[in-house]
Amino acid sequence: MKKKERHQLLRKLVQQDVIRKQEDFVDKLHERGIEVTQATISRDIKELQLVKVPAQDGGYRYNLPPEMNYDISKKLSRLMRDAFVSIDTQREFVLIRTLPGNAFALGSLIETAKYSEMFGCVSGDDTVLIICRDEESAERFQRRIISFI
């Protein structure tokens, strides 16, 4: 089973069943014929940002993270309006300059958005370097970012 499919199943399990510990996930998956280790479940819990919440019958259970109104587009737009200095493209690279102290947050938002044009992203204090898949992707990505200003 691929990680994406396993993550979907884990989300479904925490909504349907009371899952109190990592071993409960392992057992539920084994019941479905899916071999998985506790270490894998531990990583999945971290990646899915599952949280423990009080259970109705006492104790704690895993649950999906609370909605945090995490609209990436709105946050990107606000950050770009507040901190944008410049943007430039060279081949498959896009370089965004921000006011000092803002590039890391911008890079994090860009990575979270998982844009298809992007291969990778490196952030510093006032600079974000985005490596795109090719020159055309870099130009498309630059237009996308400018649209947030």
Side-chain angles (χ1 to χ4, degrees):
M1 169 175 267
K2 293 182 180 177
K3 180 162 76 169
K4 186 176 180 180
E5 295 166 338
R6 191 176 62 248
H7 281 192
Q8 288 174 340
L9 181 55
L10 293 178
R11 281 189 204 98
K12 184 177 173 184
L13 285 173
V14 297
Q15 291 174 317
Q16 292 176 344
D17 299 324
V18 175
I19 307 290
R20 296 183 183 278
K21 52 190 181 199
Q22 294 176 5
E23 291 81 15
D24 294 342
F25 280 120
V26 173
D27 294 342
K28 293 284 184 184
L29 292 175
H30 282 175
E31 289 171 10
R32 290 171 166 76
I34 301 163
E35 292 299 316
V36 66
T37 65
Q38 180 272 327
T40 298
I41 293 297
S42 178
R43 285 188 296 273
D44 289 344
I45 288 170
K46 184 176 181 181
E47 289 172 16
L48 291 169
Q49 298 178 352
L50 298 182
V51 294
K52 281 205 166 182
V53 297
Q56 288 181 344
D57 60 348
Y60 289 88
R61 62 176 292 214
Y62 281 102
N63 202 358
L64 296 173
E67 287 297 320
M68 298 180 290
N69 296 326
Y70 197 65
D71 185 344
I72 294 170
S73 294
K74 286 182 182 177
K75 289 188 177 201
L76 266 171
S77 183
R78 185 173 54 240
L79 185 56
M80 289 296 290
R81 283 192 311 266
D82 293 345
F84 176 79
V85 172
S86 68
I87 188 168
D88 199 5
T89 304
Q90 181 181 9
R91 294 190 184 164
E92 64 272 3
F93 302 108
V94 177
L95 187 73
I96 303 173
R97 295 206 184 273
T98 68
L99 295 175
N102 288 280
F104 185 76
L106 179 61
S108 180
L109 285 171
I110 289 170
E111 285 182 328
T112 301
K114 298 180 181 171
Y115 293 118
S116 60
E117 300 95 342
M118 191 176 79
F119 176 77
C121 179
V122 180
S123 303
D125 183 57
D126 63 353
T127 306
V128 181
L129 175 64
I130 299 97
I131 300 111
C132 294
R133 300 196 177 277
D134 52 43
E135 288 182 46
E136 183 180 311
S137 294
E139 291 169 9
R140 206 169 43 247
F141 184 80
Q142 181 180 20
R143 287 190 301 273
R144 180 192 298 266
I145 291 299
I146 289 171
S147 74
F148 287 109
I149 301 171

